[in-house]
């Protein structure tokens, strides 16, 4: 990570995704209508200029908390889900009122991680989003908190936004929060903490080192914002992390004014939206261990993984599930989609291609993971 780089402007961007966090949307006594209105004023101006806008908005649980007068934030999952059900309508009505003043319409989209893991549903979300944008409607997206249980939740809405980004084909991600960007140290603790204006070459290891400060309302902290920005950078999309309290924050940031932190897109070959889906949306269901021959074939010659290179299998997976490909030292070298269910792979591991049909008693794919369905970890470091 580094600062002191020149600040790009994004005046030519056609479509932006704005993520607004729980911390800024709540006063503690309910939704912060003033902030919502100010952000929507600014976004309406951009809509007037012909820019497509999508919003990922948190705030449902906190709005539900306030509506039911519940002060305790640790109420347990099912109560949180109930609070989200109460608050989500209130949240939508706030956006609806704010945008109606400018003649713009909004649509509610509630999504679970399982929806996005399923390729068909993922593509359905894409079609719906595309139709909404074509109608000139502003989609307001949140996690479907009411049905998502802990193990299938997005870690937070920053993560949800990074997943929506390629689906919406947005050219810029803006994360609005309660701090003016990313600082060199925790500004609440260190006088010397400086805002970093531009970050180039953000690596996954930089993200791991960032402080995981999460707010009491929402689930994400600065670490999750950097993680979302890192995913965006791999997709070739810049991210601006800025304070929701700055006047006209989005248009100022688009004009290239020095506020918040810009994370520049990676200079490497972009990963495709399908590559992003395989690497970051679809959670791996198991691991396939490979020998040195397969390792070299995959890493050096761009080959598929064949059964003869497989030495072991961990976990239970079905055909089409995501798996990690692991070398003999235990290092994950790639992720991909398996053509074999784990119980069949167990039978054919180490076998020659010509023997596979005989062993399984049926015709099947030659490759365990085809190269087209594989993303190397080194492409994402
Ligand atoms: N979906 C949650 C809500 O609307 C917020 C999750 C988050 O803050 O990341 O309250």
């Amino acid at each position: 990570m580094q600062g002191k780089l020149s600040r790009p402007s994004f005046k030519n961007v056609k479509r932006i995704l704005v993520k607004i966090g729980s911390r800024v949307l709540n006063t503690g006594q309910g939704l912060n209508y003033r902030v919502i209105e100010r952000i929507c004023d600014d976004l309406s101006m951009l809509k007037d200029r012909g820019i497509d806008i999508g919003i990922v908005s948190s705030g449902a649980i906190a709005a539900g908390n306030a509506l039911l007068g519940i002060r305790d934030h640790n109420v347990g999952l099912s109560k949180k889900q109930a609070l989200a059900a109460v608050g989500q309508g209130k949240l939508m009505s706030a956006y609806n009122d704010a945008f109606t003043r400018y003649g713009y319409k909004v649509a509610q989209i509630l999504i679970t991680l399982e929806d996005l893991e399923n390729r068909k549903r993922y593509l359905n979300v894409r079609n719906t989003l595309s139709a909404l944008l074509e109608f000139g409607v502003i989609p307001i997206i949140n996690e479907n908190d009411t049905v998502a249980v802990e193990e299938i939740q997005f870690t937070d809405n920053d993560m949800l936004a990074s997943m929506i980004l390629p689906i919406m084909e947005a050219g810029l991600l803006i994360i609005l929060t309660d701090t003016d960007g990313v600082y060199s140290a925790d500004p609440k603790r260190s006088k010397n903490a400086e805002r970093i204006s531009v970050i180039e070459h953000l690596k996954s290891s930089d993200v791991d080192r960032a402080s995981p400060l999460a707010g009491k309302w929402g689930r994400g902290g600065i670490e999750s914002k950097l993680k979302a920005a890192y995913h965006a950078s791999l997709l070739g999309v810049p991210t601006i992390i800025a304070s929701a309290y700055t006047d006209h924050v989005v248009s100022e940031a688009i004009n290239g004014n020095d506020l918040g932190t810009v994370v520049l897109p990676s200079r490497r070959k972009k990963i495709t939206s399908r590559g992003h889906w395989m690497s970051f949306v679809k959670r791996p269901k198991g691991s396939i261990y490979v020998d040195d021959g397969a390792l070299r074939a995959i890493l050096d010659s761009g080959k598929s993984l064949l059964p003869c290179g497989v030495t072991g299998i961990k976990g239970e997976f079905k055909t089409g599930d995501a798996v990690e490909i692991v070398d003999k030292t235990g290092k994950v070298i790639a992720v991909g989609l398996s053509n074999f269910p784990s119980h069949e792979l167990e039978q054919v591991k180490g076998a020659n291609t010509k023997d596979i049909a005989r062993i399984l008693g049926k015709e099947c794919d030659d490759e365990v993971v085809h190269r087209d369905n594989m993303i190397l970890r080194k492409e994402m470091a």
Side-chain angles (χ1 to χ4, degrees):
M1 286 205 274
Q2 49 198 290
K4 313 265 180 302
L5 288 159
S6 73
R7 183 90 183 185
S9 106
F10 303 97
K11 282 190 180 140
N12 295 327
V13 74
K14 300 264 177 302
R15 186 171 283 183
I16 60 179
L17 179 62
V18 182
K19 187 264 168 179
I20 312 173
S22 293
R23 278 193 252 189
V24 298
L25 289 173
N26 285 280
T27 58
Q29 265 84 51
L31 282 175
N32 192 335
Y33 291 97
R34 192 164 154 61
V35 166
I36 294 177
E37 275 174 19
R38 283 171 57 195
I39 296 172
C40 295
D41 290 349
D42 192 25
L43 295 179
S44 297
M45 256 163 47
L46 296 171
K47 276 284 287 173
D48 292 345
R49 275 168 44 188
I51 298 175
D52 290 337
I53 310 278
I55 297 177
V56 168
S57 179
S58 308
I61 297 174
N65 257 310
L67 264 168
L68 298 189
I70 292 169
R71 294 275 159 261
D72 183 5
H73 307 291
N74 300 314
V75 288
L77 185 64
S78 54
K79 289 210 168 120
K80 272 194 187 152
Q81 293 179 311
L83 292 169
V86 173
Q88 180 64 27
K90 196 82 181 155
L91 186 65
M92 280 311 293
S93 124
Y95 282 110
N96 185 52
D97 293 349
F99 280 118
T100 299
R101 294 177 302 144
Y102 296 91
Y104 290 116
K105 300 190 171 52
V106 295
Q108 166 179 272
I109 300 194
L110 298 178
I111 296 188
T112 63
L113 181 54
E114 270 184 328
D115 294 325
L116 298 188
E117 280 192 298
N118 179 306
R119 190 71 187 156
K120 223 163 152 188
R121 275 145 79 179
Y122 179 98
L123 296 174
N124 272 340
V125 176
R126 188 165 83 184
N127 295 341
T128 307
L129 270 174
S130 150
L132 286 168
L133 294 168
E134 208 179 294
F135 286 141
V137 171
I138 301 166
I140 316 274
I141 304 150
N142 196 359
E143 177 161 11
N144 193 350
D145 292 304
T146 306
V147 297
V149 288
E150 234 134 10
E151 58 279 16
I152 55 143
Q153 275 179 336
F154 297 101
T155 38
D156 47 64
N157 270 10
D158 298 314
M159 184 53 50
L160 171 60
S162 73
M163 292 184 187
I164 293 295
L165 193 65
I167 301 179
M168 188 178 142
E169 294 172 8
L172 178 63
L173 172 63
I174 299 195
I175 299 181
L176 297 182
T177 183
D178 61 349
T179 50
D180 182 23
V182 180
Y183 278 73
S184 55
D186 181 353
K188 291 189 186 104
R189 288 188 201 171
S190 160
K191 293 202 302 289
N192 302 328
E194 278 181 33
R195 176 175 60 90
I196 304 172
S197 175
V198 182
I199 295 175
E200 196 183 30
H201 308 307
L202 182 62
K203 297 199 287 293
S204 59
S205 51
D206 294 329
V207 176
D208 296 340
R209 277 202 300 272
S211 139
L213 296 174
K216 65 177 175 182
W217 302 103
R219 294 204 295 271
I222 204 66
E223 181 194 29
S224 72
K225 286 163 187 55
L226 280 173
K227 197 165 182 178
Y230 162 68
H231 288 185
S233 81
L234 294 176
L235 287 157
V237 176
T239 301
I240 301 171
I241 302 169
S243 166
Y245 305 126
T246 305
D247 277 342
H248 305 293
V249 58
V250 179
S251 34
E252 294 281 322
I254 287 180
N255 289 342
N257 288 336
D258 188 11
L259 47 86
T261 298
V262 174
V263 179
L264 297 177
S266 158
R267 289 222 203 102
R268 300 193 210 179
K269 193 168 150 258
K270 292 194 242 177
I271 59 168
T272 60
S273 122
R274 188 163 173 278
H276 176 269
W277 174 77
M278 281 194 285
S279 334
F280 300 118
V281 180
K282 218 167 156 54
R283 287 161 303 162
K285 292 272 157 49
S287 310
I288 299 179
Y289 291 80
V290 299
D291 63 17
D292 284 342
L295 178 76
R296 297 272 62 91
I298 291 170
L299 291 186
D300 302 342
S301 318
K303 292 269 171 43
S304 300
L305 172 64
L306 301 178
C308 61
V310 175
T311 57
I313 293 130
K314 209 162 105 191
E316 263 179 48
F317 46 87
K318 300 191 294 296
T319 302
D321 276 345
V323 288
E324 289 183 328
I325 302 177
V326 184
D327 72 9
K328 67 174 190 218
T329 68
K331 192 168 145 211
V332 177
I333 57 154
V335 290
L337 307 182
S338 177
N339 284 334
F340 288 80
S342 45
H343 68 277
E344 286 183 2
L345 190 55
E346 200 58 73
Q347 289 173 262
V348 297
K349 70 176 187 218
N352 274 324
T353 305
K354 62 175 173 39
D355 299 324
I356 309 293
R358 183 183 46 76
I359 299 171
L360 293 179
K362 61 174 185 185
E363 286 305 316
C364 41
D365 286 299
D366 287 350
E367 304 86 7
V368 176
V369 179
H370 194 279
R371 196 65 190 80
D372 294 346
N373 291 331
M374 194 190 286
I375 301 288
L376 302 187
R377 271 279 189 262
K378 67 175 185 188
E379 290 167 3
M380 305 183 296

